[in-house]
Amino acid sequence: MTATTSSSPAPRQQAQDDEIDLLALFATLWDQKWLIAAITAVFMVIGVAYALLASPVYRANAIVQVEEKSPGLPGMSDVTEMFGGESAAITEIELIKSRKVIGTAVDKLDLDIEVEPRYFPVVGRAIARRFAGDVDELNTPVLGFSSYAWGGERIKVSRFEVPATQFNEKHTLVAEDGGFTLLSPDGEALLSGAIGKLIRAEGYELYIPTLHARAGTQFTLSRLRRLSAIITLQETMGVSERGKDSGILALSIEDTKPDRAEEILNVIASTYLRQNVERQSAEAAKSLDFLREQLPNIKKDLEEAERKFNAYQVKVGSVNISAEAEALLDQVVDIESGIAELQLQQAELDRKYTRDHPAYQAWREQMAEQMARKTEFNSRIKGLPETQQELLGLKRDLEVGTEIYTQMLNNIQELDIVRAGTVGNVRIIDDAAVNIEEPVKPKKALIVVIATLLGGFLGVALVLVRAALNRGIENPDDIEAIGLPVYASIPLSDEQRKLDFGSRRSARQLRKIRNQHPTALLAQRNPTDITIEALRSLRTSLHFAMLEASNNIMMISGPSPNVGKSFVSGNLAAVIAQAGQRVLLIDMDLRKGYMHKMFDVVPENGVSDVLSKRVQLQDAIQPTKIAELFILPRGAIPPNPSELLMSKGLTQLLEAVSADYDLVIVDTPPIMAVTDAAIIGRQCGVTMLVTRFGLNPVKELEVTKQRFEQNGITVKGVVLNAVERKASGYGYGYGYGYYQYEYKSDKAEN
């Protein structure tokens, strides 16, 4: 019971964490709603532009009926129906898409020649497509770009032969008055000629019967390999059966030009129909030739049987056949006729199938059945008298021969009629037609919807990826988790940005300006700003912290540049001085210090000059516009800042000012960039760190703390600066940051 009670809070806590993470996720998206909306809008505009500018694709449709194919020889249908033939639709689909049929369309319509006007990039094709002038009218060039086609151009290339190495290469055809010039892919002139004349030169042959374009208009001309053009057309064309075993085939082809799509499909359908008729006629002709070859042998066998029957009758005289023998004779004749017909079918089967084909197996079963019946009747005939047997055999041969000969004559007559009037088993039900009112592509509404959804998805993904990669501290709890108390959270001040960059910029534009040094003192210009109020709260917290310090010197540093150390130092010093304390602000960033800009004082004769004994301390300290607040600027930028700070002069300077002021605030460079802060911090009673909201990861702050502790310096606390208002409250996550800190000369400063 106890175990159950103790383990129950864990799942509840995990569920709460999941709920908080989900809310934080939606809040993060809400914070970046304008970015997501902007990306979505951009993609929607792109989708609309594509839907309006893309060339419409039209589909031509035709319907063909394939009837059941009749066998080559009479009686063959009985054999093939026993095993069920292959699907006729599948066979005909492959025939329609065969190279023989498609190749005919390629040759007839010159589809292996690609020629197209050269349009102005992006919008030229759409402008030309919307031109609705007369047949012989040309659209006016836009902005004088006469080398492009703008609408109304027409060209027909009936012959274009190129060297073997120039297949698929894009040549340029330039229209001229009554003629043309062909340029190579490299821009060299290959040949020139007049419209309607065949031109030959350097392995090229070109015949253009029609060319209607402005002089100077360029066309792109390519010669494809015939097989490549056939394969392309095969991939573009679609053939499918409507309904299972219906024999109705739907043909379709897509093209940007509806007239060309319709023409191509009509040529393919008519070519397929013609070849089907030719194939049917050829099969009937082959069967007819086979029967005519066999007819003389059958006639010879019939004549021989008749001669033998007559001779036997003369020899033995008139003999009457009994009723029993007559009945046997009729049945034997039927069997022999069937066997003879099967033997003729065997030749047809040998021509079409292998011995393992089901049709051949069905024929073999029929033949075996007939032979078994023949054996049975032969045994019954042997029971008759010898004279009756002999006479019966001769008469059987005569009647069987007569039956076979008569049947063969009938077959020859039927096949001759079929061959002469072959119409095939294919019918074109509907000729090719194109609905030019509704192109199949692009689906404008669908494209816009997909583009908008894609933009929204990418916008959300971008925000989430940025949130995952931006692991800067956004929650004070993350700082306190590594053992550093957070003394204050300073809001991001839009007023400070306006002071630095002008009052005409919006708050959203100001938030985009980061990593810029302030050039005005906010505590002096706008003392009621919410940021200054937060610094007053920090002043109260630091009052108690200084009571436990070894001296009245407070160092303010940070892990990296651009966290707002100088902003916090300057305004905090002003707030404390306004409370009545005598404060000295020292700019000990001897490399890039800019505190003098905030207080509008000269940087010369500062800390570096005092430490190098060029200026006396009292001469270097300058008053500010705020009562009880004094500043010691950085001075001239020295070549060796660290060595200068390690001298005894720094100790003497700090001891001197500590006695003369109630509080000394020292602004130092970031510890992760240079070691100056570690040198200065050993002589300061309190060390405070400034970290920027969303910039410094926790790991970086943790390394900063360790570096100070390695030098015997205890970090009193942290100020979280530039906190931004977010719907998600404080963010989560952290990672490693990157920064640079470099020297800056006096010349660059000035």
Side-chain angles (χ1 to χ4, degrees):
M1 187 68 176
T2 304
T4 304
T5 304
S6 61
S7 61
S8 59
R12 288 198 299 268
Q13 182 65 33
Q14 183 178 1
Q16 292 177 358
D17 293 342
D18 293 341
E19 182 179 357
I20 293 174
D21 289 341
L22 184 60
L23 292 176
L25 176 64
F26 283 107
T28 300
L29 297 177
W30 179 255
D31 289 331
Q32 301 295 328
K33 58 182 178 297
W34 295 115
L35 175 61
I36 297 174
I39 295 176
T40 303
V42 169
F43 272 79
M44 183 182 68
V45 171
I46 293 175
V48 172
Y50 176 80
L52 295 177
L53 297 178
S55 298
V57 177
Y58 301 91
R59 177 181 295 164
N61 296 283
I63 296 179
V64 173
Q65 180 187 13
V66 181
E67 299 175 348
E68 186 177 356
K69 185 178 178 181
S70 59
L73 283 176
M76 282 294 294
S77 58
D78 297 334
V79 177
T80 55
E81 287 177 359
M82 294 183 62
F83 64 90
E86 298 178 352
S87 174
I90 297 177
T91 303
E92 299 303 325
I93 288 174
E94 295 302 321
L95 289 175
I96 293 174
K97 301 184 71 173
S98 64
R99 290 200 302 270
K100 188 173 183 180
V101 175
I102 300 297
T104 302
V106 170
D107 297 336
K108 186 174 182 179
L109 301 177
D110 300 317
L111 299 180
D112 52 352
I113 300 175
E114 289 186 349
V115 58
E116 185 180 52
R118 185 168 295 176
Y119 298 104
F120 190 81
V122 183
V123 299
R125 190 183 298 271
I127 294 175
R129 187 171 61 250
R130 287 169 172 78
F131 176 68
D134 296 334
V135 177
D136 296 330
E137 186 179 356
L138 295 173
N139 197 6
T140 304
V142 178
L143 300 178
F145 290 101
S146 59
S147 62
Y148 294 102
W150 296 99
E153 292 79 9
R154 299 192 313 275
I155 186 172
K156 171 64 176 176
V157 180
S158 299
R159 183 175 181 82
F160 183 44
E161 300 294 337
V162 299
T165 58
Q166 296 299 313
F167 279 102
N168 300 322
E169 296 291 336
K170 294 185 179 298
H171 297 73
T172 300
L173 183 73
V174 182
E176 298 177 355
D177 293 333
F180 57 86
T181 298
L182 180 67
L183 306 180
S184 69
D186 299 330
E188 298 180 359
L190 296 175
L191 52 85
S192 298
I195 299 173
K197 293 184 179 181
L198 179 63
I199 309 299
R200 294 187 178 92
E202 300 181 0
Y204 286 87
E205 293 185 12
L206 181 58
Y207 177 66
I208 302 177
T210 303
L211 176 58
H212 178 66
R214 185 183 300 102
T217 304
Q218 297 182 359
F219 296 81
T220 301
L221 182 60
S222 301
R223 175 67 160 84
L224 307 179
R225 296 186 186 275
R226 184 175 183 272
L227 181 58
S228 299
I230 292 174
I231 293 175
T232 301
L233 189 55
Q234 287 175 332
E235 295 174 350
T236 306
M237 184 176 179
V239 185
S240 60
E241 184 180 14
R242 289 190 175 180
K244 186 177 180 181
D245 298 331
S246 65
I248 302 298
L249 301 182
L251 284 64
S252 65
I253 192 168
E254 297 179 358
D255 199 286
T256 56
K257 298 179 180 179
D259 295 339
R260 183 169 63 180
E262 185 175 325
E263 186 178 14
I264 292 174
L265 198 58
N266 278 328
V267 171
I268 291 176
S270 60
T271 301
Y272 165 66
L273 176 62
R274 185 181 66 256
Q275 292 187 1
N276 176 267
V277 173
E278 293 174 353
R279 186 172 66 252
Q280 297 279 28
S281 178
E283 291 181 1
K286 290 180 180 179
S287 300
L288 183 61
D289 293 340
F290 170 74
L291 292 180
R292 285 176 173 172
E293 290 177 359
Q294 299 297 323
L295 185 60
N297 296 329
I298 299 299
K299 183 177 181 180
K300 183 178 179 181
D301 293 340
L302 176 60
E303 293 174 349
E304 180 65 20
E306 184 179 6
R307 186 190 63 78
K308 289 182 179 180
F309 179 75
N310 293 331
Y312 184 77
Q313 279 190 327
V314 171
K315 177 181 178 182
V316 299
S318 178
V319 178
N320 293 326
I321 300 177
S322 63
E324 180 182 2
E326 188 71 27
L328 288 175
L329 178 61
D330 294 338
Q331 296 182 23
V332 169
V333 169
D334 292 339
I335 293 174
E336 290 287 352
S337 299
I339 292 175
E341 186 175 351
L342 288 175
Q343 288 175 344
L344 290 175
Q345 292 177 4
Q346 182 182 11
E348 184 77 5
L349 292 172
D350 288 337
R351 185 172 61 86
K352 290 186 176 181
Y353 309 113
T354 63
R355 295 296 177 97
D356 296 328
H357 194 274
Y360 210 100
Q361 306 243 351
W363 174 87
R364 190 179 291 114
E365 292 177 1
Q366 289 188 9
M367 178 63 78
E369 180 182 354
Q370 294 290 346
M371 294 301 294
R373 293 182 61 194
K374 178 180 178 181
T375 302
E376 177 185 354
F377 280 100
N378 285 339
S379 61
R380 292 174 60 182
I381 291 174
K382 290 181 180 180
L384 298 174
E386 182 176 353
T387 303
Q388 292 285 335
Q389 291 183 27
E390 185 71 19
L391 184 60
L392 186 62
L394 293 174
K395 190 172 183 180
R396 176 198 62 189
D397 293 340
L398 178 60
E399 292 187 6
V400 168
T402 303
E403 182 72 20
I404 293 174
Y405 184 75
T406 303
Q407 183 64 35
M408 185 169 291
L409 289 176
N410 293 334
N411 291 342
I412 289 175
Q413 187 176 6
E414 290 179 7
L415 290 175
D416 197 17
I417 295 174
V418 170
R419 181 185 61 81
T422 300
V423 294
N425 65 326
V426 172
R427 305 285 185 275
I428 297 179
I429 305 301
D430 289 335
D431 292 328
V434 180
N435 184 2
I436 60 175
E437 300 297 332
E438 295 184 6
V440 295
K441 298 176 184 177
K443 301 291 186 182
K444 297 182 179 180
L446 181 61
I447 288 176
V448 174
V449 170
I450 292 177
T452 304
L453 294 177
L454 179 61
F457 172 78
L458 292 179
V460 171
L462 177 62
V463 169
L464 295 180
V465 170
R466 288 178 58 185
L469 296 179
N470 180 22
R471 298 185 175 183
I473 299 171
E474 294 184 349
N475 189 350
D477 295 339
D478 295 336
I479 301 176
E480 295 181 352
I482 62 174
L484 291 175
V486 178
Y487 270 62
S489 295
I490 309 299
L492 179 65
S493 175
D494 293 336
E495 291 297 324
Q496 179 68 53
R497 299 298 179 88
K498 290 180 180 180
L499 292 174
D500 298 334
F501 304 103
S503 59
R504 294 185 178 181
R505 302 198 182 191
S506 64
R508 188 178 305 160
Q509 291 175 327
L510 293 173
R511 290 191 183 95
K512 295 180 180 179
I513 304 175
R514 304 192 62 170
N515 303 333
Q516 297 292 334
H517 302 310
T519 59
L521 190 65
L522 182 63
Q524 181 182 5
R525 300 291 185 88
N526 191 358
T528 61
D529 189 82
I530 187 173
T531 301
I532 302 304
E533 293 296 335
L535 287 171
R536 291 191 178 99
S537 300
L538 176 61
R539 176 188 64 186
T540 304
S541 302
L542 290 175
H543 173 74
F544 297 101
M546 296 300 296
L547 295 177
E548 302 175 357
S550 58
N551 56 39
N552 63 342
I553 303 174
M554 179 175 62
M555 181 183 73
I556 296 180
S557 184
S560 63
N562 302 315
V563 297
K565 301 182 288 45
S566 300
F567 171 80
V568 173
S569 300
N571 286 278
L572 178 62
V575 169
I576 296 175
Q578 289 171 349
Q581 297 188 51
R582 185 178 173 85
V583 181
L584 175 64
L585 178 61
I586 303 177
D587 187 358
M588 283 199 179
D589 188 348
L590 304 185
R591 293 172 170 82
K592 297 177 62 177
Y594 60 91
M595 196 70 70
H596 56 280
K597 294 183 179 180
M598 295 176 61
F599 291 90
D600 195 19
V601 298
V602 296
E604 291 77 12
N605 299 330
V607 175
S608 62
D609 302 294
V610 173
L611 295 179
S612 59
K613 307 298 183 181
R614 292 195 299 269
V615 177
Q616 295 296 322
L617 177 60
Q618 297 302 324
D619 296 334
I621 297 176
Q622 303 180 38
T624 66
K625 296 179 181 180
I626 298 177
E628 301 298 327
L629 176 59
F630 300 85
I631 182 173
L632 180 58
R634 68 157 197 266
I637 297 178
N640 53 347
S642 298
E643 290 76 7
L644 195 61
L645 292 174
M646 293 178 65
S647 64
K648 294 181 180 180
L650 177 63
T651 304
Q652 296 172 357
L653 185 153
L654 293 178
E655 289 177 351
V657 297
S658 177
D660 295 338
Y661 296 91
D662 297 329
L663 178 64
V664 178
I665 298 177
V666 181
D667 183 39
T668 64
I671 185 65
M672 297 291 290
V674 292
T675 61
D676 296 4
I679 300 173
I680 300 170
R682 296 177 64 88
Q683 304 185 48
C684 299
V686 173
T687 297
M688 297 294 295
L689 292 180
V690 177
T691 183
R692 191 179 184 94
F693 180 88
L695 177 64
N696 302 111
V698 173
K699 183 64 178 178
E700 188 177 62
L701 193 59
E702 189 175 5
V703 173
T704 300
K705 175 188 175 185
Q706 293 175 357
R707 185 164 296 184
F708 274 116
E709 291 176 347
Q710 290 172 357
N711 289 276
I713 303 171
T714 301
V715 178
K716 192 67 176 179
V718 176
V719 176
L720 182 59
N721 185 37
V723 176
E724 300 180 27
R725 182 184 303 174
K726 289 190 174 183
S728 56
Y730 291 109
Y732 299 89
Y734 53 87
Y736 288 95
Y738 175 80
Y739 52 84
Q740 291 181 337
Y741 200 81
E742 56 189 9
Y743 284 90
K744 193 172 184 180
S745 64
D746 286 325
K747 183 178 180 180
E749 176 68 26
N750 297 330

